[in-house]
Structure formats: structure tokens, C-alpha cells
């Protein structure tokens, strides 16, 4: 018996929807920083609240890694 799950093709438009979600997330982070408010995200299956300072620190770390 093969325990490897079969790969199914993505539904039409799934990649477009994923790209739109990523753009929306980036915009939400940008607005949260501009307004000094936090956001709630799901990270590794857990809900995590990030302050504007957390978002700025993550953005700086990401820029430094590039």
C-alpha cells in the first residue's frame, strides 16, 4: 500500500487567489505600521498578535536577510 498522498491539480484561479491574499496581507501590515496598530495572524497553526513594533522588527530582519 502506498502511503504517499496523491497530488491533485490546483483549481483554476487558485494561484491568482493566493497572490491576491499575499498582496492583501502585505497591505494590512503596511497599514498597521502606519497607524501604529497590531494585527492578528495565524503562524504555525496558532493565532499570534503582532504589534506595529513587531511588524517593523520583522520587516527589518527580512530586509537584512536579503
Amino acid at each position: 500500500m502506498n502511503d504517499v498522498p496523491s497530488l491533485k491539480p490546483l483549481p483554476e484561479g487558485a494561484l491568482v487567489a493566493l497572490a491576491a491574499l499575499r498582496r492583501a496581507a502585505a497591505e494590512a501590515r503596511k497599514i498597521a505600521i502606519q497607524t501604529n496598530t497590531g494585527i492578528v495572524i495565524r503562524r504555525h497553526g496558532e493565532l499570534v498578535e503582532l504589534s506595529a513594533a513587531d511588524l517593523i522588527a520583522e520587516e527589518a530582519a527580512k530586509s537584512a536577510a536579503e
Side-chain angles (χ1 to χ4, degrees):
M1 182 179 277
N2 190 354
D3 290 336
V4 178
S6 64
L7 297 176
K8 298 178 184 176
L10 292 174
E12 189 174 327
L15 292 177
V16 174
L18 181 58
L21 286 170
R22 287 187 174 152
R23 286 192 307 272
E27 186 67 16
R29 287 172 180 266
K30 178 181 158 190
I31 291 170
I33 290 169
Q34 289 173 345
T35 59
N36 197 31
T37 57
I39 61 172
V40 177
I41 64 168
R42 183 176 299 269
R43 183 177 282 165
H44 306 294
E46 302 275 331
L47 291 179
V48 178
E49 186 174 356
L50 299 174
S51 68
D54 295 333
L55 294 170
I56 292 168
E58 283 188 358
E59 193 174 271
K62 184 178 177 184
S63 293
E66 293 178 349

